């Protein structure tokens, strides 16, 4: 059928730059469009690490116990959840890691080819009145260096309640973190007094554009589902579709979104 399977690594292979350890198991993994993967591996006899597997030898990205860039502490463990890993075609990588002493951080590429702390437990959440991140979560990394993350906020700090303790933040290219949408926000394109729900689904493309599918509550309507477009470079969010809209799915075939 034209497809070729190539062995990248196998249990027992030597793990470069890992103090003589070998590969013991392979867990969360993400791949860019060039076939290069960022993979969480467990090491033998102990420890875990992140490696990039491409055409050449495996390249170590992070290993348990190393100094965590920009934090003043060590990396306790890098994530093995593929939703918390990112790699783009430029070879930039991003990942979530837990830290010695508590908390976690998202490590992201910078414009100089290095690594920066994008967000860490306890950091102020941009675009809020003093809210703080309790747990940064799922991430995406675009071809232009743009990123999107989900974040959980600490209830009771900066006016955060259980109805406003989650949201989406992102970067335009390698820029600073900015707020995209927060639970309880007024959603773009809806009647005043509407609120954005928790746990939206979203996708980031390679040009800093985000599609967000989420729930909302609107006065006189109740709950519904909507689809929004957000541009990380302009900061503008636009409503694309919502409950009650009529769409033409085929010539002359009109249907209502329910």
């Amino acid at each position: 059928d034209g497809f070729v399977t190539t062995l990248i690594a196998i249990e027992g292979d030597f793990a470069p730059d890992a103090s003589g350890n070998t590969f013991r198991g392979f867990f969360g993994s993400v791949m860019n469009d060039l076939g290069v993967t960022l993979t969480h591996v467990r090491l033998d006899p102990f420890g875990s690490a992140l490696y990039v597997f491409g055409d050449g030898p495996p390249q170590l990205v992070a290993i348990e116990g190393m100094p965590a860039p920009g934090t003043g502490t060590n990396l306790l463990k890098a994530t093995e959840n593929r939703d918390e890993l990112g790699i783009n075609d430029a070879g930039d990588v991003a990942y979530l890691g837990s830290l010695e002493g508590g908390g976690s951080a998202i490590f992201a590429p910078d414009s100089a080819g290095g690594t920066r702390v994008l967000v860490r437990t306890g950091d102020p959440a941009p675009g809020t009145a003093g809210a703080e991140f309790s747990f940064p979560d799922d991430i995406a990394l675009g071809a232009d260096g743009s990123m999107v993350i989900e974040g959980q906020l600490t209830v009771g700090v900066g006016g955060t309640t259980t109805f406003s303790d989650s949201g989406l933040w992102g970067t335009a290219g390698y820029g600073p973190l900015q707020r995209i949408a927060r639970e309880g926000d007024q959603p773009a394109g809806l009647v005043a007094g509407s609120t954005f729900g928790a746990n939206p689904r979203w996708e980031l493309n390679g040009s800093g554009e985000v599609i967000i599918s989420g729930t909302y509550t609107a006065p006189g309507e109740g709950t519904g589902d909507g689809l929004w477009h957000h541009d990380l470079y302009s900061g503008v969010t636009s409503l694309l579709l919502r409950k009650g809209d009529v769409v033409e799915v085929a010539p002359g075939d009109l249907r209502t979104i329910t």
Side-chain angles (χ1 to χ4, degrees):
D1 58 9
F3 293 98
V4 176
T5 300
T6 303
L7 178 65
I8 296 175
I10 192 170
E11 183 180 351
D13 281 355
F14 174 72
D17 302 312
S19 302
N21 283 306
T22 58
F23 295 137
R24 181 165 61 92
F26 305 91
F27 294 86
S29 185
V30 290
M31 179 184 292
N32 66 17
D33 289 340
L34 302 178
V36 179
T37 65
L38 174 64
T39 301
H40 176 99
V41 301
R42 291 186 185 169
L43 304 173
D44 191 10
F46 59 87
S48 62
L50 293 176
Y51 278 89
V52 169
F53 295 94
D55 291 334
Q59 301 293 312
L60 178 67
V61 173
I63 188 167
E64 188 175 321
M66 78 174 198
T71 66
T73 187
N74 292 335
L75 185 71
L76 182 63
K77 183 180 179 182
T79 183
E80 58 185 54
N81 182 346
R82 67 180 311 276
D83 292 331
E84 297 165 347
L85 298 171
I87 184 169
N88 64 17
D89 290 353
D92 294 329
V93 298
Y95 60 94
L96 177 72
S98 55
L99 304 174
E100 290 185 1
S104 59
I106 290 175
F107 300 95
D110 62 26
S111 59
T115 301
R116 61 175 173 155
V117 178
L118 183 63
V119 61
R120 181 178 179 179
T121 299
D123 280 354
T128 69
E132 293 181 356
F133 287 107
S134 61
F135 186 75
D137 205 346
D138 294 356
I139 67 175
L141 173 63
D144 60 345
S146 293
M147 289 190 64
V148 174
I149 72 163
E150 290 188 29
Q152 299 296 318
L153 304 176
T154 303
V155 173
V157 177
T160 302
T161 71
T162 54
F163 299 101
S164 62
D165 62 345
S166 64
L168 299 178
W169 284 261
T171 70
Y174 301 99
L177 202 62
Q178 58 181 273
R179 173 168 152 178
I180 298 173
R182 180 181 178 185
E183 180 186 2
D185 276 355
Q186 168 69 49
L190 298 185
V191 64
S194 300
T195 55
F196 198 66
N199 304 315
R201 299 171 298 281
W202 50 272
E203 292 289 339
L204 170 68
N205 70 8
S207 303
E209 297 176 291
V210 189
I211 289 294
I212 305 166
S213 173
T215 61
Y216 65 83
T217 302
E221 178 183 340
T223 59
D225 295 302
L227 187 68
W228 290 265
H229 170 274
H230 180 86
D231 188 308
L232 287 166
Y233 286 93
S234 69
V236 174
T237 301
S238 304
L239 177 65
L240 301 178
L241 292 168
R242 58 167 292 185
K243 177 183 177 182
D245 283 351
V246 177
V247 295
E248 187 172 20
V249 298
D253 185 358
L254 302 178
R255 302 191 187 186
T256 302
I257 298 174
T258 59

